[in-house]
Amino acid sequence: MEKTTFNPTVIRKDFPILNREVNGKPLVYFDNAATSQTPRQVIDVIVDYYSNYNANIHRGVHTLSQEATDKYEQARIKIQKHFNAAKSHEIIFTSGTTHSINLVANGFTSILKAGDELIVSAMEHHSNIVPWQMLCERTGATLKVIPMNEEGELILEEYLELLSDKTKLVFCNHVSNALGTVNPVKTIIDAAHKVGAAVLIDGAQAAPHIKADVQELNVDFYTVSAHKMCGPTGVGMLYGKEEWLNILPPYQGGGEMIAEVTFEKTTYADLPHKFEAGTPNICGGIAFGAALDYMNAIGFDEIAAYENELLEYATERLLAIEGLRIYGTSENKTSVISFNIEGVHPYDMGSILDKLGIAVRTGHHCAQPIMDFYKIPGTVRASFSFYNTKEEIDILVEGVEKAKAMLL
Ligand SMILES: Cc1ncc(COP(=O)(O)O)c(C=O)c1O
């Protein structure tokens, strides 16, 4: 795809939903960390799929099946190239990050034993905590936690103290969904490898902003959800190093993932199909590839630079509001601002902002341990994407001031 010049006014035209009104006001969509919006280039791919070549893949000799299979496998290669995986069969299509993490956690059931240790960070989404707790229950392994500081940064010295030859797995997000902190994942990975532990990095929040290179990171597993990066819901990927994917057993049994089935014994298909039981989200996978094409045509450097401008502008304007506190003040952040106004419940703030057409997320953001750390019930989270503007941030600031005046 041709490279385009970065211009938010032009880019906004790609997103039909941004033209709609909510409660009689123009939509200001600041819930991008939950789900990003979909450009017409990706919507067109979805319409094209169902209009022209909807068919089941891999098994059919007929033309439609072959066309769908080709497009689906081309999408896998796009994802491989984007994340710089060495081999396309190291990319497993999943329904998203939650599925990807559960796949790995289940795979380790037969590998871990009582006394083994797993290390998680203090700022994880529940989907990077609960599957591992379930794994610990199944195996007798124990979970240790890398603590964080008031700025919402991991305390690396304490992480190094936790590592030992008992450590078998380390998992951490690349970017925190609740705080926006970009974690020093390369340092975390290298230290874990020194004690022989494998590392899973949850890239759900990083992928919309940072083009991760899995070979450079030398990460064992990396997870992504397409719906957070201009793609559809219900599709994502698990990157796994070939040697690990060969060791892990299949997650689900069924069609597509077998080599041969008899009632006595089943042998499994080669990678990546071993982990892709059943009919996948074919259209979703193809649209995921289109979303990567779209974002790469804009350019991840351009996206990051512009979103950082939005982050700085919004931080400065919001901090000027008396009684407003931002949670997550690391120097290294993506365009996420979690905040509260003293004496105002985040839910009340979110409800009033919605009346003004402004979509933010309120609550614990599936990261209750972070809220416990700050001793708060939740936050208001405004998360910006490359199609947002400073004018929209002005509307947010005005809305927060209005809500504050109504609620206090
Ligand atoms: C950091 C992080 N990890 C995991 C997830 C779960 O992603 P999904 O619901 O797409 O599986 C999210 C979603 O918000 C997230 O922000």
Side-chain angles (χ1 to χ4, degrees):
M1 209 179 266
E2 287 266 306
K3 196 137 180 82
T4 49
T5 313
F6 190 86
N7 179 343
T9 314
V10 175
I11 281 168
R12 285 178 73 77
K13 297 204 172 98
D14 291 337
F15 293 82
I17 207 168
L18 298 179
N19 292 324
R20 73 160 281 182
E21 293 195 341
V22 169
N23 295 320
K25 308 266 193 263
L27 167 68
V28 172
Y29 189 76
F30 284 158
D31 195 18
N32 295 289
T35 287
S36 59
Q37 293 304 343
T38 318
R40 72 180 152 69
Q41 289 84 343
V42 174
I43 298 171
D44 288 349
V45 166
I46 295 169
V47 172
D48 181 42
Y49 172 82
Y50 283 109
S51 308
N52 293 310
Y53 61 98
N54 175 30
N56 213 325
I57 52 170
H58 294 142
R59 292 178 280 244
V61 290
H62 63 82
T63 302
L64 260 55
S65 175
Q66 285 174 13
E67 283 178 17
T69 304
D70 287 350
K71 290 261 177 34
Y72 192 64
E73 291 307 324
Q74 280 162 17
R76 194 190 305 275
I77 289 165
K78 284 180 191 175
I79 298 167
Q80 175 207 353
K81 295 227 164 88
H82 180 82
F83 293 100
N84 195 28
K87 294 154 189 151
S88 65
H89 58 249
E90 291 178 318
I91 303 297
I92 310 296
F93 277 114
T94 64
S95 67
T97 297
T98 305
H99 177 184
S100 304
I101 295 171
N102 276 280
L103 188 162
V104 178
N106 267 275
F108 271 89
T109 308
S110 53
I111 297 172
L112 295 189
K113 56 182 188 328
D116 286 342
E117 291 180 358
L118 315 185
I119 298 180
V120 63
S121 100
M123 62 172 86
E124 295 310 303
H125 188 281
H126 296 161
S127 69
N128 205 20
I129 301 173
V130 183
W132 306 111
Q133 284 174 326
M134 292 160 77
L135 173 64
C136 287
E137 277 168 25
R138 291 194 297 273
T139 59
T142 51
L143 197 59
K144 309 257 164 181
V145 182
I146 313 170
M148 68 178 201
N149 62 22
E150 277 294 312
E151 287 72 41
E153 294 165 329
L154 294 177
I155 305 173
L156 285 181
E157 304 76 55
E158 302 220 20
Y159 166 57
L160 299 180
E161 293 285 311
L162 291 175
L163 286 167
S164 76
D165 57 3
K166 289 189 194 154
T167 314
K168 295 294 177 272
L169 273 165
V170 175
F171 24 93
C172 175
N173 55 40
H174 196 163
V175 168
S176 157
N177 64 308
L179 305 170
T181 312
V182 181
N183 284 313
V185 287
K186 180 71 181 142
T187 310
I188 290 170
I189 294 163
D190 288 348
H193 284 166
K194 282 203 180 112
V195 299
V199 183
L200 178 143
I201 298 295
D202 168 357
Q205 291 295 335
H209 313 284
I210 299 166
K211 196 167 173 168
D213 179 329
V214 293
Q215 290 190 79
E216 193 186 308
L217 287 175
N218 194 19
V219 68
D220 302 288
F221 303 101
Y222 196 87
T223 65
V224 172
S225 297
H227 70 95
K228 295 189 193 286
M229 50 186 320
C230 298
T233 54
V235 67
M237 72 111 193
L238 167 69
Y239 160 79
K241 274 187 189 162
E242 183 178 31
E243 50 268 43
W244 272 118
L245 293 178
N246 279 331
I247 292 168
L248 296 189
Y251 177 40
Q252 292 183 317
E256 287 283 327
M257 52 75 74
I258 54 94
E260 210 172 329
V261 178
T262 66
F263 282 110
E264 287 69 44
K265 189 176 164 52
T266 291
T267 50
Y268 304 127
D270 291 334
L271 295 173
H273 307 296
K274 171 181 155 188
F275 292 106
E276 295 181 350
T279 301
N281 183 349
I282 303 165
C283 176
I286 295 167
F288 184 7
L292 291 179
D293 284 344
Y294 177 78
M295 292 188 74
N296 278 311
I298 295 170
F300 273 74
D301 288 345
E302 286 77 1
I303 287 173
Y306 178 67
E307 287 176 343
N308 198 44
E309 232 179 86
L310 292 180
L311 175 69
E312 281 180 9
Y313 182 72
T315 305
E316 197 185 314
R317 290 231 48 205
L318 284 169
L319 282 178
I321 300 173
E322 215 184 301
L324 187 143
R325 173 172 175 191
I326 292 178
Y327 300 90
T329 50
S330 173
E331 282 290 301
N332 202 0
K333 268 185 78 170
T334 58
S335 46
V336 169
I337 301 185
S338 250
F339 66 92
N340 275 331
I341 302 255
E342 210 183 336
V344 174
H345 195 282
Y347 178 83
D348 296 336
M349 173 63 71
S351 303
I352 293 178
L353 291 177
D354 178 58
K355 295 276 174 296
L356 302 170
I358 306 163
V360 291
R361 187 137 295 236
T362 61
H364 54 59
H365 316 298
C366 294
Q368 281 182 356
I370 298 182
M371 304 304 137
D372 292 346
F373 174 84
Y374 288 113
K375 300 186 176 54
I376 51 175
T379 69
V380 181
R381 183 185 70 185
S383 48
F384 314 118
S385 183
F386 57 90
Y387 44 73
N388 290 128
T389 63
K390 288 188 182 166
E391 290 72 32
E392 288 182 304
I393 290 169
D394 292 339
I395 295 170
L396 170 72
V397 172
E398 211 176 289
V400 171
E401 274 167 341
K402 212 179 259 181
K404 181 185 157 191
M406 284 168 74
L407 292 165
L408 285 181

